[in-house]
Amino acid sequence: MRICVVGAGGREHALADALVRPGHDVVVTPGNPGIPCSDPTPPEQVAADLYVIGPEVPLVDGLADRLRAAGRLVFGPGAGGARLEGSKRWMKELLVDAGVPTARHGSFTDPAPAVALLEALPPPYVVKTDGLAAGKGVLVTDSLAEAVDDVRAKLDGSAFGPAGSTVVIEEGLTGPELSLLCVCDGHRAVPLAPAQDFKRLLDDDAGPNTGGMGAYSPVPVAGPDEVDEVMATAVEPTLAALRRRGIDYRGVLYAGLMLTAAGPRIIEYNVRFGDPEAQVVLPRYAGDLGRLLAEAAAGALSTEPSWDRRAAITVVLATEGYPQSPRSGDPISGMDEAAAVPGVTLYSAGVGPGRTSAGGRVLNVTALGADLPDARRRAYQAVSLIDWPGMHYRRDIAGRAAGMEVHA
Ligand code: AMP
């Protein structure tokens, strides 16, 4: 099959890699200078048997609808389904309607009732933008004053522009987090291997939220029973609620969960592969990913996913100043040496011409190993070979799950 992957980051590089493996012919549009099969031609003008849309922004903007209207086979929800990610308020309403367990919450356009709800809740306080904010629109804090300031900055447009014109306030939940990415064909959903990502910038989950600083798979706390429970209590009822609204959801439904003492709770839905979760889930896919995605796109899933038993971890290498004001243009050294470490693959998130840093997240160093400690050793060995001025990464990715001291 000729497959067109839409997007420009490490997730799309990992998608391309997993699709090329069983022999498909892949083009990534627009891609980036670090992804070999990149092509700047807009997806509408690329001839392909299957279109796989990576990022949320084109999905929310209706790219899947436009391609389908032109008769193309598309993996990715239309704008109707993509509202699950495009509006947290709408997503929360759908969860309540579907009876899916989630944090208690309220949605507000005025500061006064939002502050009143914050004052009525115990810490930690959770304030989210309704609209898309590249994973950075969520504040979790123990400080009521900081939460109140954040509500005001979001609602008056100074923090996130129109994305913050509605805020969602949530009860703070505690427990291990889990990302369960499911492939949906409109009626049926099949779970992919569970993953866990690391959203905060700094070790020990300190610093601001980012697009994601690393991930690993499998997840020791998420066995088959936990996955079955999430499918039965969250994913399947959500797909049914979408169908009741006339939405034929064909694409990834990514359930972001917290495994609380009272059971799993949905904290977010995304409508595409996670970035960087894709970089640890897709290398472990043992079947023909193109076939699985094409079946889902056609509304006729029949393949059961199968998995490489090895573990995977990915460490995100970011630039100085990320996420607020990333610096670009520094020459990157050591990429070839790092890629030569057995089990290691480099995915290019923001590599510019001539191997320079271009954007906040630059490289994803992914390693497969016999188990998590082995994968972790290989990934950090490769990381130690790469450098550029101001390069930053977390040293504790998968540290706890691998049974290690979190500081590598
Ligand atoms: P989201 O973009 O909604 O997934 O939120 C980003 C991160 O904020 C999550 O990965 C959690 O670490 C944290 N978070 C979101 N909602 C809650 C909540 N209700 N309670 C505690 N932490 C949360």
Side-chain angles (χ1 to χ4, degrees):
M1 252 190 302
R2 181 167 161 79
I3 304 176
C4 174
V5 174
V6 179
R11 164 185 46 213
E12 287 73 32
H13 197 170
L15 271 164
D17 211 48
L19 291 166
V20 164
R21 224 183 303 135
H24 299 293
D25 171 22
V26 177
V27 55
V28 182
T29 172
N32 70 53
I35 305 178
C37 45
S38 295
D39 182 339
T41 309
E44 291 89 338
Q45 292 166 31
V46 174
D49 306 303
L50 173 67
Y51 296 77
V52 179
I53 303 174
E56 61 276 19
V57 171
L59 290 165
V60 170
D61 287 349
L63 176 61
D65 300 310
R66 293 196 295 281
L67 289 169
R68 286 193 180 103
R72 318 284 179 92
L73 186 63
V74 184
F75 183 78
R83 279 187 85 191
L84 275 181
E85 184 163 358
S87 169
K88 286 195 194 291
R89 174 182 208 153
W90 189 81
M91 181 265 284
K92 283 286 195 180
E93 286 166 7
L94 186 128
L95 291 189
V96 171
D97 174 48
V100 173
T102 186
R104 285 185 296 144
H105 64 278
S107 303
F108 304 95
T109 51
D110 288 325
V115 170
L117 176 57
L118 283 173
E119 285 170 349
L121 288 171
Y125 306 100
V126 182
V127 183
K128 301 185 176 183
T129 57
D130 173 56
L132 292 180
K136 297 159 204 154
V138 177
L139 175 76
V140 182
T141 177
D142 285 327
S143 159
L144 179 60
E146 192 188 356
V148 169
D149 286 349
D150 190 60
V151 164
R152 295 191 200 287
K154 280 174 176 155
L155 287 178
D156 72 16
S158 57
F160 289 96
S165 59
T166 297
V167 293
V168 177
I169 308 283
E170 284 184 17
E171 141 193 54
L173 301 173
T174 51
E177 286 188 42
L178 181 67
S179 301
L180 190 65
L181 282 59
C182 304
V183 170
C184 305
D185 71 355
H187 294 268
R188 234 187 114 216
V190 295
L192 300 181
Q196 194 169 71
D197 77 333
F198 291 74
K199 288 219 167 59
R200 302 279 189 139
L201 181 67
L202 305 173
D203 286 358
D204 295 324
D205 291 330
N209 271 322
T210 68
M213 294 300 293
Y216 66 90
S217 172
V219 181
V221 293
D225 291 349
E226 284 76 17
V227 171
D228 286 350
E229 186 177 0
V230 173
M231 295 305 288
T233 60
V235 174
E236 283 156 10
T238 299
L239 209 51
L242 288 166
R243 263 203 318 278
R244 285 197 296 278
R245 285 163 171 74
I247 294 170
D248 185 13
Y249 193 99
R250 300 183 188 188
V252 169
L253 182 58
Y254 161 146
L257 295 137
M258 212 167 255
L259 303 177
T260 74
R265 298 280 180 272
I266 290 286
I267 50 178
E268 66 167 342
Y269 275 127
N270 292 324
V271 298
R272 34 77 196 178
F273 288 100
D275 183 351
E277 288 92 333
Q279 289 89 313
V280 290
V281 172
L282 299 179
R284 299 188 59 228
Y285 193 74
D288 177 345
L289 183 70
R291 179 173 165 179
L292 181 78
L293 303 188
E295 285 177 5
L301 259 181
S302 61
T303 296
E304 289 304 321
S306 55
W307 299 100
D308 186 328
R309 294 187 69 81
R310 287 178 294 172
I313 103 158
T314 192
V315 180
V316 172
L317 307 185
T319 55
E320 187 177 316
Y322 176 74
Q324 286 90 358
S325 47
R327 141 181 162 171
S328 282
D330 291 302
I332 306 166
S333 64
M335 283 174 63
D336 293 331
E337 293 80 353
V341 174
V344 167
T345 307
L346 302 189
Y347 295 123
S348 168
V351 177
R355 291 195 169 172
T356 51
S357 59
R361 294 191 291 175
V362 175
L363 279 170
N364 312 135
V365 180
T366 295
L368 284 164
D371 50 22
L372 282 172
D374 184 38
R376 193 169 188 274
R377 260 191 311 275
R378 291 169 194 263
Y380 278 106
Q381 185 194 343
V383 167
S384 72
L385 300 169
I386 300 175
D387 197 23
W388 71 83
M391 178 179 104
H392 164 76
Y393 62 93
R394 278 183 66 158
R395 288 166 170 76
D396 63 346
I397 305 301
R400 278 201 188 87
M404 292 179 177
E405 290 297 316
V406 286
H407 292 292

